[in-house]
Amino acid sequence: MRLSLLFLLLAGLSMAEEAKVRTLSYRLDTLAMEGVLVMPAGAKGDIPGLVLFPDWMGVGPVAVGYAKRVAEWGYAVLIADVYGKGVRPKDALEAGRISGYFKYHVPLLRQRGAAALSALKREAGIDTAKTGALGFCFGGGAALELARSGAPLEAVISVHGNLFTPYPNDAGHIRGKVLVLHGADDPYVLRDQVFNFIEQMRNTRVDWQLVHYGGAVHAFTNPDAGSNPRSGVAFNPTADRHAFMAMKIFLAEAL
């Protein structure tokens, strides 16, 4: 009987410590957007806030999983809706088509990122002087583009993200610290793109880091990416663990 009571108490405590997840609607001019806001359990007072840019599948379970992991560290996390309300790719083919549009319309990508950042700052309980952006795959590139726009971000993280930009000189507009976590064997982010990113950052005064994870390919933090590195896309539990440890340390220092 005592064991059953203890189990129920512990289960109740665990449920009480769950992050709070809710839909957050916002707009960019006439475009309606619908992101997801994840608040850490027991948050009190104003806390740092992060805009999380999801991979090319947009707002969904994988992005929510990422946001919950980061919220556990004491941050409010808004999953940005880059595509617009109701635009949710049904498969990789459609995701590639939709996300590909933004690679050729970077100013629009930056505007939609800025709209998410503004929406986050309007929420009660957010320390508006301590904000950052992070993203995964397509979202990693989106986070970097928001930073290159000169947005007031204290921290920027790209995880297995796109490093190419048509506006390389805009690296000088970045205002916060930058952390890029990259799979050393990622076939979708070409070596020339990595080299060019390094050269862009070396020509700035930005505090930046680039970490390569040996044996990791694209999407190495995504549990839905499969387990076959030969495909070029695969979950790597070791790289995943190390990446989230690196993010936690980086954010603690930057925010």
Side-chain angles (χ1 to χ4, degrees):
M1 188 71 175
R2 290 181 179 178
L3 288 176
S4 297
L5 179 60
L6 178 60
F7 174 81
L8 290 173
L9 289 172
L10 290 174
L13 179 61
S14 177
M15 290 178 63
E17 292 177 347
E18 283 280 329
K20 297 180 180 179
V21 181
R22 66 177 175 87
T23 298
L24 180 64
S25 298
Y26 60 101
R27 304 186 74 86
L28 173 60
D29 298 326
T30 59
L31 178 67
M33 297 174 165
E34 191 171 80
V36 173
L37 181 65
V38 181
M39 296 291 290
K44 296 180 180 179
D46 291 345
I47 60 174
L50 298 166
V51 176
L52 187 153
F53 293 93
D55 63 22
W56 66 357
M57 295 303 293
V59 180
V62 172
V64 172
Y66 287 143
K68 286 182 176 180
R69 291 175 72 176
V70 175
E72 287 179 356
W73 305 334
Y75 304 100
V77 183
L78 172 60
I79 303 172
D81 181 11
V82 175
Y83 300 154
K85 183 177 179 179
V87 181
R88 301 291 182 263
K90 63 179 182 294
D91 53 31
L93 183 63
E94 187 175 12
R97 178 180 59 80
I98 296 173
S99 64
Y101 176 84
F102 290 94
K103 292 182 180 179
Y104 299 98
H105 296 83
V106 171
L108 179 60
L109 177 62
R110 294 179 178 185
Q111 290 172 12
R112 295 196 178 182
L117 179 60
S118 296
L120 175 65
K121 288 186 170 184
R122 288 194 296 268
E123 288 297 298
I126 305 299
D127 185 343
T128 57
K130 295 182 179 181
T131 57
L134 73 157
F136 299 80
C137 297
F138 164 74
L144 288 172
E145 289 299 351
L146 180 59
R148 293 185 185 110
S149 75
L153 301 168
E154 300 298 313
V156 184
I157 303 173
S158 170
V159 188
H160 41 76
N162 172 40
L163 299 180
F164 170 78
T165 179
Y167 305 104
N169 293 334
D170 285 358
H173 299 156
I174 297 175
R175 298 165 63 174
K177 301 177 186 294
V178 174
L179 174 65
V180 172
L181 305 175
H182 176 66
D185 297 330
D186 188 336
Y188 295 105
V189 181
L190 303 179
R191 292 183 180 181
D192 284 350
Q193 294 173 3
V194 177
F195 175 79
N196 289 337
F197 173 80
I198 292 172
E199 290 303 301
Q200 293 160 23
M201 300 308 296
R202 289 178 66 185
N203 291 323
T204 71
R205 296 183 178 181
V206 175
D207 181 343
W208 65 280
Q209 304 171 50
L210 170 63
V211 181
H212 287 75
Y213 294 111
V217 294
H218 200 61
F220 61 79
T221 67
N222 187 342
D224 292 344
S227 58
N228 180 16
R230 293 183 179 180
S231 70
V233 178
F235 178 62
N236 184 313
T238 300
D240 171 72
R241 183 174 67 254
H242 290 171
F244 273 86
M245 288 173 60
M247 282 189 272
K248 183 176 182 179
I249 294 169
F250 173 80
L251 290 172
E253 180 182 87
L255 299 178

